Amino acid sequence: MSAAGGCTSSVSKGCFVFKPSSKKRKSSLTTADYFNADLKDLEDGQVRFDTCQSLWQEVKLETEQLQEELNKKLFDSLIEFLRKSHSEFQGEKNEWSCRTRSSEIPTAALVLGVNVTDHDGTFKSLSEVLWERVTPYVASLQAKECPGIKQLLQKLLAQLMGQLADVDLNSDEEEEHVQTSQRRRGRPMASLCSWYRSVTKRTSQSKKRTSSSSWHLLTPPVVVILKDLERFAPKVLQDFIVISSLYTGELPLIFVFGIATSPMIIHRLLSHSVSSLLCIELFQSVSCTQHLAAIVDKLLLTTRFPLRLSGKVLLVLTNIFLYHDFSVQNFIKGLQLSVVEHFHSQPLSMLCCHLPEAKKRLRSLLHEQCENIRQLPSFMSYVDTQTSEHQVKLLTSDSFLKDVAQTLLEDLHAYHKNYIPVLKCLHEFTCLLPKYPLGRQSQVRELHCACMEKKVWESEEYTSAFQLLRMLAKDELVATLRKCVEILKSSACKELSKALKKLEEFLSRFHNLEGSVSAEEHEYLKDENMSPPKVLQKKTDLYHLQKTLLELKESRRSKKLTNFEVLRLEVVEFLDSLVRDYLVPPETKALYEVMYFSDASTLRRHLNAAPRTALHMALNNPYCYLKNEALKNNDGVISNLAPDICIAYKLHLECGRLINLYDWLEAFTTVVTTAEGADSASVASGRVDEVIHARFIKAVSELELLGFIKATKLKTDHVARLTWGGC
């Protein structure tokens, strides 16, 4: 016996025991291992991964807090409704109890919107809030888990009673429970009522009260949440409501309906006799567009997080949101992907942190990392603007490079602090203009994208917006100036202190203009109102009329502007100077690649896939996905080692609109059975193997499922091709 080799050699049969090897098993790969897989420097990659993780944890915490703030008003109103509706069951009389009958079930219709992917998080938070503040008896039901009344009652009892309820309800009873006797159809709910009475009785007799929860009612309500009301079968829903209405005196049931479309769906799913058993109150959640605006304002338009998104990246994320799913959660996932891609693809992303930490890391950079700085396009453009002496130092001296890079990073952080307040001020001026040339009131992201992409003052929209600003009324102008003063005060930027003083000076000058109109202004208004009728009331021909109108136009141009018009022009010109100074695109700043993620194509490829292109790539070139070296071949060659569906797909590309199935089968058989060096005479046997025939049928069925072919009535032994061309 050779124990060392782990093998045995014996004449007789026996059982041999081998001790486990002392070598440690290979541990599974972590997230950091996948992150550092393609990186050259593992130490540098670990720093980038830790920075990425800490940044995303801050962003995630901020998004969760924002979600709680947005849902707080909705949840508070829901809890108030639950408490009022439950007061009748406890014997309390109030205005709400007068509105309901004894057989009605209080129902909260919660309209959440079409962003269905976000509903799970909302209901999870709602269940936690209800458990903490109202009742411990909360059940959440989904339509896919409740195809029938039997499954619905089983799921309900399992969640409430904490175990899988073995409900004695046969399939026959499921169909006839509404017509059968009350005892038979009420068996599951009767067991729930008895369980509820025993639990509440034990709770009332016990003197212990937990301080962590705020529900100390002797008979807390039982809340049943139907997450996706539209997906429930109408018959199942109606039967459940009818059964539940029979026990309103014994069981304090309260329904919460999750609605994605419209409250009218309740009356479409339920008959009048069933809907009359519900006392419905409507609740509206915050719209997904308002939620997105809050996310952009709290995450992207703030200086708390060093990482920035370019205009193209933000446009990709918003387009997916607006044209696909309206899901804020998917928007946040796209933001997370942007963070990971930036720290994985940018070697200098280790400097994408808060300024004090970035300065420390900058001082400890190695020569190779300094070379990465020199290779940045923005830094190369900066070097071209310097003198020849400075250019030599920047390209040769690492210490001098670090000093300059520290100054550039400070300028970049200062640019961020000044950019956001000025952007908000410009948005306050332009959001109320006719036709919204630079974005609506609640969509500051449109103006943000425009300023990030190019010099916004060179666009036609900016020119038209400032033409309209020169015609603003006094009340609107003063109100907007006050908002801008508040924005600059809250920003607390030292560089914008002069701008703040200038705006306050404009406000004081407008205040001095109130109630005082000069004699020149009276004369101007008098000429504006009286002179045209006096001139034009004389009879004249077309030539003299045109000449008179031109003279009036020139005279109006040459007239002296009023004090208000002069002051209004000063405000508009000052705003234009602020825009030109502080809203320059980030590409004009050196080292912007360190803090900006601009790879929109990668983001679009991951989040907004093209299914048809991906299918063609997989079927036409399976090596792209399978990574099998045997599948590497020249274009136009069909390998017999490829999957059957790939062979059938390539063969169908060579056919016309109608494909003969027998010819297709023969070609498939030829490719599959032909190997390199095989005799062609031995291949052509004249009879198709049953296994190959079955493989062909499976491949054709898969192509039909993918939508490449379909059956046709023109010829029984043919199929119609649904695509054309090579892609």
Side-chain angles (χ1 to χ4, degrees):
M1 179 183 296
S2 177
C7 59
T8 60
S9 176
S10 177
V11 177
S12 61
K13 296 182 179 180
C15 181
F16 303 93
V17 179
F18 299 96
K19 294 183 179 181
S21 176
S22 59
K23 296 182 179 179
K24 295 182 179 180
R25 293 183 179 180
K26 186 178 181 181
S27 59
S28 59
L29 295 178
T30 61
T31 307
D33 296 329
Y34 286 105
F35 186 89
N36 299 328
D38 300 331
L39 303 181
K40 297 180 180 179
D41 191 352
L42 295 181
E43 182 179 357
D44 183 22
Q46 186 63 39
V47 175
R48 288 155 59 180
F49 177 75
D50 294 339
T51 308
C52 176
Q53 288 287 88
S54 62
L55 174 62
W56 179 246
Q57 289 301 324
E58 294 178 8
V59 174
K60 184 179 179 181
L61 181 61
E62 182 70 23
T63 55
E64 292 175 354
Q65 293 177 353
L66 181 61
Q67 181 71 41
E68 293 179 0
E69 294 175 2
L70 293 176
N71 289 335
K72 185 178 185 302
K73 185 177 180 181
L74 174 65
F75 290 171
D76 290 344
S77 58
L78 269 173
I79 291 172
E80 184 66 22
F81 164 78
L82 296 178
R83 287 176 175 171
K84 288 191 303 181
S85 60
H86 185 56
S87 61
E88 181 185 4
F89 187 84
Q90 292 180 309
E92 301 176 6
K93 298 296 181 181
N94 54 16
E95 182 182 355
W96 174 262
S97 61
C98 298
R99 293 171 50 192
T100 61
R101 299 196 305 269
S102 59
S103 60
E104 288 182 343
I105 303 175
T107 303
L110 182 56
V111 182
L112 297 176
V114 296
N115 50 331
V116 182
T117 53
D118 298 343
H119 294 181
D120 289 338
T122 303
F123 282 119
K124 182 180 179 181
S125 302
L126 177 61
S127 300
E128 294 175 355
V129 171
L130 292 178
W131 195 92
E132 292 175 357
R133 300 172 59 180
V134 181
T135 175
Y137 311 125
V138 181
S140 298
L141 304 178
Q142 287 183 300
K144 64 181 181 180
E145 300 173 348
C146 308
I149 187 64
K150 176 182 177 180
Q151 291 80 4
L152 188 148
L153 293 175
Q154 283 180 341
K155 194 71 177 178
L156 176 64
L157 268 65
Q159 291 192 22
L160 292 177
M161 299 171 63
Q163 58 184 355
L164 184 61
D166 189 8
V167 182
D168 186 13
L169 192 64
N170 298 325
S171 59
D172 296 337
E173 296 174 351
E174 180 182 347
E175 298 177 357
E176 300 176 347
H177 70 279
V178 178
Q179 292 79 15
T180 55
S181 64
Q182 177 179 345
R183 185 183 63 83
R184 187 175 183 182
R185 65 185 174 184
R187 196 173 299 166
M189 297 299 293
S191 61
L192 180 61
C193 291
S194 61
W195 169 83
Y196 178 78
R197 283 194 300 267
S198 63
V199 171
T200 53
K201 185 177 180 180
R202 277 198 314 268
T203 306
S204 61
Q205 293 177 352
S206 176
K207 296 182 180 180
K208 295 181 180 180
R209 294 291 184 266
T210 57
S211 59
S212 60
S213 59
S214 60
W215 42 266
H216 295 154
L217 302 175
L218 297 179
T219 56
V222 178
V223 181
V224 180
I225 302 175
L226 305 181
K227 293 184 177 181
D228 43 357
L229 184 70
E230 290 90 346
R231 295 184 179 180
F232 277 89
K235 187 177 185 302
V236 175
L237 200 59
Q238 293 182 23
D239 294 346
F240 176 61
I241 294 173
V242 170
I243 294 175
S244 301
S245 65
L246 300 175
Y247 295 89
T248 54
E250 304 177 37
L251 191 66
L253 274 175
I254 299 177
F255 291 157
V256 177
F257 290 165
I259 301 174
T261 54
S262 170
M264 293 301 297
I265 193 65
I266 298 177
H267 302 287
R268 294 177 184 174
L269 293 175
L270 306 178
S271 61
H272 177 70
S273 60
V274 176
S275 61
S276 62
L277 300 176
L278 304 176
C279 186
I280 304 173
E281 185 164 333
L282 186 64
F283 296 89
Q284 181 72 49
S285 67
V286 179
S287 65
C288 53
T289 54
Q290 293 177 351
H291 193 176
L292 177 66
I295 290 291
V296 172
D297 185 55
K298 297 294 183 180
L299 296 183
L300 304 182
L301 298 181
T302 179
T303 56
R304 291 184 55 190
F305 309 108
L307 180 63
R308 304 283 168 172
L309 301 183
S310 68
K312 292 182 179 179
V313 171
L314 182 57
L315 193 61
V316 168
L317 293 178
T318 52
N319 285 343
I320 293 175
F321 173 85
L322 294 173
Y323 298 112
H324 288 80
D325 51 14
F326 285 101
S327 174
V328 178
Q329 296 299 324
N330 289 343
F331 181 87
I332 295 174
K333 290 179 181 178
L335 182 61
Q336 182 182 10
L337 178 61
S338 303
V339 173
V340 175
E341 282 289 335
H342 175 73
F343 281 93
H344 184 266
S345 60
Q346 177 54 253
L348 294 171
S349 57
M350 59 182 298
L351 301 177
C352 184
C353 53
H354 298 289
L355 187 58
E357 183 65 23
K359 291 180 179 179
K360 294 180 182 179
R361 296 181 180 181
L362 183 62
R363 286 299 174 186
S364 60
L365 291 183
L366 302 177
H367 176 71
E368 293 78 7
Q369 295 168 328
C370 292
E371 288 297 325
N372 291 333
I373 295 179
R374 295 186 177 101
Q375 293 175 4
L376 292 178
S378 61
F379 186 79
M380 295 172 65
S381 302
Y382 171 78
V383 172
D384 293 338
T385 60
Q386 303 300 309
T387 61
S388 58
E389 181 180 357
H390 278 204
Q391 288 180 356
V392 173
K393 289 184 178 180
L394 288 172
L395 298 178
T396 56
S397 175
D398 290 346
S399 60
F400 184 75
L401 174 67
K402 293 178 182 179
D403 294 336
V404 174
Q406 178 176 335
T407 305
L408 295 178
L409 283 178
E410 293 174 352
D411 294 342
L412 195 57
H413 282 267
Y415 163 74
H416 292 159
K417 292 181 180 179
N418 299 328
Y419 174 87
I420 296 171
V422 176
L423 177 72
K424 293 182 178 180
C425 289
L426 178 61
H427 179 67
E428 290 293 337
F429 272 97
T430 59
C431 64
L432 299 178
L433 295 178
K435 298 183 179 180
Y436 309 105
L438 289 177
R440 297 177 182 268
Q441 184 175 6
S442 60
Q443 297 178 359
V444 67
R445 65 176 184 271
E446 296 180 0
L447 180 59
H448 176 57
C449 291
C451 295
M452 296 283 285
E453 285 299 306
K454 59 182 179 180
K455 296 179 180 179
V456 67
W457 57 86
E458 296 179 353
S459 62
E460 297 180 359
E461 295 81 4
Y462 182 87
T463 304
S464 61
F466 270 71
Q467 289 177 353
L468 295 173
L469 288 178
R470 294 184 179 93
M471 296 184 288
L472 273 182
K474 184 178 180 180
D475 296 339
E476 295 178 349
L477 191 58
V478 172
T480 307
L481 280 175
R482 288 173 180 168
K483 293 179 181 178
C484 293
V485 168
E486 294 298 327
I487 291 173
L488 295 185
K489 283 183 178 179
S490 61
S491 65
C493 294
K494 295 182 180 180
E495 294 188 19
L496 296 177
S497 58
K498 294 183 179 179
L500 177 60
K501 292 180 181 178
K502 191 68 175 177
L503 292 181
E504 292 176 345
E505 179 185 347
F506 285 140
L507 281 177
S508 62
R509 291 172 63 182
F510 275 116
H511 181 71
N512 295 332
L513 285 177
E514 293 180 358
S516 62
V517 182
S518 62
E520 296 179 355
E521 293 173 349
H522 277 296
E523 187 66 25
Y524 174 79
L525 294 175
K526 183 178 179 181
D527 294 341
E528 285 288 323
N529 296 327
M530 300 301 296
S531 58
K534 289 182 179 180
V535 176
L536 296 177
Q537 60 185 338
K538 298 180 180 180
K539 291 184 179 181
T540 181
D541 55 5
L542 182 60
Y543 173 75
H544 289 89
L545 178 61
Q546 184 180 6
K547 183 178 179 181
T548 305
L549 292 175
L550 290 175
E551 291 176 355
L552 285 174
K553 187 176 180 180
E554 292 296 331
S555 63
R556 288 184 178 181
R557 288 181 179 178
S558 60
K559 283 184 180 179
K560 186 179 179 180
L561 298 177
T562 63
N563 293 336
F564 167 70
E565 291 175 339
V566 172
L567 187 55
R568 181 173 59 185
L569 287 178
E570 290 183 11
V571 172
V572 174
E573 290 176 359
F574 178 73
L575 178 64
D576 181 61
S577 64
L578 285 179
V579 172
R580 295 174 184 268
D581 290 340
Y582 297 106
L583 296 188
V584 295
E587 287 79 3
T588 59
K589 299 293 181 179
L591 303 184
Y592 82 94
E593 295 93 343
V594 175
M595 306 180 68
Y596 280 85
F597 176 69
S598 56
D599 194 358
S601 59
T602 301
L603 196 66
R604 187 184 295 108
R605 185 172 65 252
H606 287 301
L607 298 179
N608 194 13
R612 185 173 177 231
T613 304
L615 280 175
H616 173 75
M617 178 63 69
L619 296 176
N620 197 44
N621 185 17
Y623 173 77
C624 181
Y625 291 92
L626 300 179
K627 303 301 181 183
N628 187 356
E629 296 295 333
L631 297 178
K632 275 189 174 182
N633 52 15
N634 299 326
D635 295 337
V637 178
I638 304 177
S639 174
N640 63 323
L641 300 177
D644 295 340
I645 188 174
C646 298
I647 298 174
Y649 176 77
K650 287 188 175 183
L651 291 173
H652 110 285
L653 291 178
E654 302 175 356
C655 303
R657 189 175 64 89
L658 294 178
I659 306 175
N660 190 309
L661 286 173
Y662 184 76
D663 296 341
W664 196 3
L665 173 60
E666 283 191 339
F668 180 84
T669 305
T670 303
V671 174
V672 170
T673 57
T674 302
E676 295 183 1
D679 188 7
S680 59
S682 62
V683 174
S685 60
R687 181 178 297 178
V688 179
D689 185 73
E690 293 181 356
V691 176
I692 297 177
H693 193 188
R695 291 167 57 185
F696 173 75
I697 293 175
K698 181 181 178 182
V700 171
S701 301
E702 291 173 348
L703 289 177
E704 184 179 6
L705 179 64
L706 293 174
F708 290 101
I709 59 173
K710 71 171 184 177
T712 178
K713 295 182 180 180
L714 298 178
K715 294 182 179 181
T716 57
D717 57 344
H718 285 64
V719 292
R721 180 178 173 184
L722 299 179
T723 59
W724 57 90
C727 181

